[in-house]
């Protein structure tokens, strides 16, 4: 008798930039296409540009209340994050700070980019510290696009050479789903923090 495949992991893809002229939709769109080829996950996209949250972090604000079930229902997260002034975009930090227990003890993966050779890794390092507050597990391997403008081809397609990026995405997603399934089983036996 064969064991049935575990149900797909519910992954929320957070598009972390709201600036005019942002490249985040291109990066997130590419990542979503890569993830859609897998049958072991389902993706829900939360875009900070479409989700204006109050600066005072009011938990009862209608936008916050509407987003809460989507953040809470995810078993894992992937953040698409640019590096702005060596750190995290403000709207992304507001989104993170608008929730608390919803993030608790879940795995987080990162897809970063930037105009410099750093490729957004400084923003990722800040996010690792932020998510550690919620007892999240940050994936060791990340997908980075240094000098992001060089990843577009002459017709504006992104990424111009997808093979390396797809391999990095597979590695990160394999890690993310391992942690998500392990934490799913652990929490089924005993809720986290009890």
């Amino acid at each position: 008798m064969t064991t049935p495949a575990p149900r797909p992991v519910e992954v929320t893809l957070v598009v972390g930039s709201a600036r005019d002229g942002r490249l985040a939709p291109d990066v997130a769109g590419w990542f979503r296409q890569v993830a859609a080829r897998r049958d072991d996950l389902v993706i829900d996209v939360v875009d900070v540009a479409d989700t204006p949250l109050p600066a005072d972090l009011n938990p009862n604000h209608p936008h916050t209340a509407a987003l809460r079930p989507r953040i809470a229902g995810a078993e894992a997260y992937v953040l698409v994050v640019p590096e702005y002034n060596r750190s995290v975009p403000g709207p992304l930090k507001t989104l993170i700070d608008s929730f608390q227990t919803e993030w608790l003890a879940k795995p987080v993966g990162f897809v970063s980019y930037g105009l410099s050779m750093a490729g957004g890794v400084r923003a990722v390092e800040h996010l690792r510290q932020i998510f550690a507050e919620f007892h999240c597990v940050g994936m060791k391997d990340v997908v980075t696009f240094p000098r992001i403008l060089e990843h577009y081809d002459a017709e504006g397609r992104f990424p111009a050479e997808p093979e390396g990026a797809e391999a990095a995405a597979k590695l990160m997603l394999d890690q993310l789903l391992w942690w998500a399934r392990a934490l799913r089983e652990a929490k089924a036996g005993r809720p986290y923090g009890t």
Side-chain angles (χ1 to χ4, degrees):
M1 186 162 100
T2 60
T3 304
R7 66 178 167 82
V9 172
E10 296 179 34
V11 178
T12 293
L13 177 64
V14 178
V15 184
S17 170
R19 286 188 180 180
D20 289 342
R22 66 194 178 132
L23 303 177
D26 295 342
V27 179
W30 163 80
F31 183 83
R32 187 176 188 184
Q33 288 179 347
V34 170
R37 296 181 202 145
R38 301 178 66 126
D39 60 3
D40 52 0
L41 63 88
V42 292
I43 289 272
D44 177 32
V45 179
V46 171
D47 190 331
V48 296
D50 299 333
T51 314
L53 296 173
D56 67 359
L57 307 180
N58 177 357
N60 300 314
H61 188 282
H63 293 158
T64 308
L67 187 55
R68 182 170 289 110
R70 293 171 66 192
I71 300 297
E75 297 177 283
Y77 308 98
V78 174
L79 277 66
V80 173
V81 58
E83 182 177 311
Y84 293 160
N85 298 320
R86 295 180 175 250
S87 193
V88 179
L92 176 57
K93 186 65 164 70
T94 298
L95 184 142
I96 294 167
D97 291 347
S98 293
F99 303 99
Q100 298 293 316
T101 57
E102 293 82 0
W103 303 114
L104 195 62
K106 297 176 185 177
V108 184
F110 306 100
V111 179
S112 69
Y113 64 93
L115 295 174
S116 74
M117 279 302 295
V121 296
R122 292 173 289 213
V124 169
E125 289 309 305
H126 289 175
L127 287 168
R128 289 184 192 283
Q129 294 173 353
I130 293 163
F131 277 100
E133 262 319 282
F134 303 111
H135 300 216
C136 291
V137 181
M139 297 304 97
K140 174 187 176 290
D141 293 292
V142 301
V143 182
T144 62
F145 292 99
R147 294 185 176 167
I148 183 71
L149 298 179
E150 296 177 8
H151 290 274
Y152 288 83
D153 68 15
E155 285 76 44
R157 288 184 296 253
F158 176 88
E161 298 177 9
E163 294 80 13
E166 289 181 9
K170 180 186 182 312
L171 178 62
M172 184 267 286
L173 281 170
D174 287 348
Q175 293 172 4
L176 187 81
L177 298 187
W178 186 94
W179 277 103
R181 288 189 289 264
L183 289 166
R184 175 195 285 170
E185 291 176 18
K187 290 175 194 174
R190 181 177 179 182
Y192 184 77
T194 61

